[in-house]
Amino acid sequence: MKGRKILVTGGLGFIGSHTAVELIAQGFEVVLADNLSNTTEAPLEGIEAITGQRPVFEKVDLSIGAEVQGLFDRHPNFDGVIHFAAHKAVGESVREPIKYYLNNLGSLGLLLEQCRTRSIVHFIFSSSCTVYGEATRLPIDESAPVQPAMSPYGNTKQVGEEMLRDAVRAYSGLQVIALRYFNPIGAHPSAHIGELPLGSPLNLVPYVTQTAAGVREQLQVFGNDYDTPDGTNVRDYIHVVDIAKAHVVALNRLMQHQNTDAYEVFNLGTGRGSSVLEVIRSFEKVSGKALNYRIVERRPGDVTAAYADTRKANEVLGWKAELSLDQAMEDAWRWEKKVRNLND
Ligand code: UFG
């Protein structure tokens, strides 16, 4: 059906796979493109188990022009693009900045070129709360200044937003929504898809669940001397299913011409800040397991606290996070147990 075929880049990744499920549930036809650099083809089975449909998968390196060209030649009729594909490890980006710029910004540029030449006008971009840096005011709303990036990864998100803003100005018809995620966590409640970081997890929640599953020995909590209620960092942890649903809402907003600006930005968060210790307590409560953790030195580059002002997303986009931290932890734990073949 015209107006319904969506390219999801990074479609086998954590947020991409959950978004594919929500798109299919809403009747969209999806093509998932992924280079499998940080995932496997297993989410295809998971998506099929949940939706009853196996999406089309294209193994493509989106930073290579000929591959992008081939993808759009095989699918000349996309009606929109949701662009998740990107490298996302902050520390690695410091060590290998050019890899990040070539991949994250190169792929964005090549996709935008295809959109321009083929008149594909609906584009959703994965941005990050990292663009706000250490915000001076909490909660953080979309008018908070974008701070100098603290890592090449963060810079690719900032420059990515600028590329899109410039593209919207230059290419008539192009309509973009950039979604600035706070901390996506959890898994699909069915446990058919979830987060499966390759190697040792860098993010808190997969580290928590892997520690409880016995894959990691002990969680290190990076500092308890911050200026927060319990001394540990505060973040806005949001269930990945809520994040996924926001993408469908944003896409519909563009397709139904409800956007008021050709380039719009929305925070995706719950509006609630939780400390690292609160996340641990939530996990312990829903799992019934005591977590082995200890407090260590601060991690360089961590901001003290970040949580979203969600009013714009709630009122303008018409979307609101519905799932709680406990639900996210429960789903993350169910997924971890499934991956590790644990029963209890
Ligand atoms: N943390 C621990 N131990 C761990 C892992 C994390 O205590 O083993 C703490 C961190 O210090 C932080 C919190 O858990 O206080 C969350 O850390 P994550 O790594 O899960 O997430 P971040 O808040 O660091 O990530 C966010 C965005 C990224 C962005 C990054 C920039 O989600 O997209 O900020 O610093 F790149």
Side-chain angles (χ1 to χ4, degrees), residues 259-291:
N259 53 319
T260 50
D261 210 328
Y263 179 80
E264 295 181 322
V265 174
F266 296 98
N267 284 342
L268 295 186
T270 65
R272 182 169 175 275
S274 303
S275 72
V276 176
L277 293 179
E278 283 175 309
V279 171
I280 294 172
R281 301 283 168 260
S282 167
F283 174 79
E284 292 184 326
K285 184 172 84 182
V286 302
S287 68
K289 287 177 99 74
L291 191 75

Side-chain angles (χ1 to χ4, degrees), residues 14-15 18-19 127-129 142 179-189 195 203-206 234-247 266-275 279 282 306-311 313-314 317 319-332:
F14 178 41
I15 308 176
H18 288 79
T19 301
S127 189
S128 166
C129 68
E142 290 83 350
L179 298 172
R180 292 175 176 165
Y181 314 150
F182 281 68
N183 289 56
I185 61 164
H188 197 271
E195 187 173 13
N203 295 110
L204 177 62
V205 171
V234 168
R235 296 286 183 275
D236 188 337
Y237 297 93
I238 172 167
H239 199 298
V240 65
V241 170
D242 276 329
I243 292 257
K245 286 180 175 167
H247 288 75
F266 296 98
N267 284 342
L268 295 186
T270 65
R272 182 169 175 275
S274 303
S275 72
V279 171
S282 167
Y307 52 95
D309 184 326
T310 62
R311 278 177 300 178
N314 298 163
L317 192 57
W319 162 92
K320 196 174 187 347
E322 287 169 351
L323 301 168
S324 67
L325 176 63
D326 285 353
Q327 282 167 305
M329 297 309 289
E330 206 177 318
D331 291 335

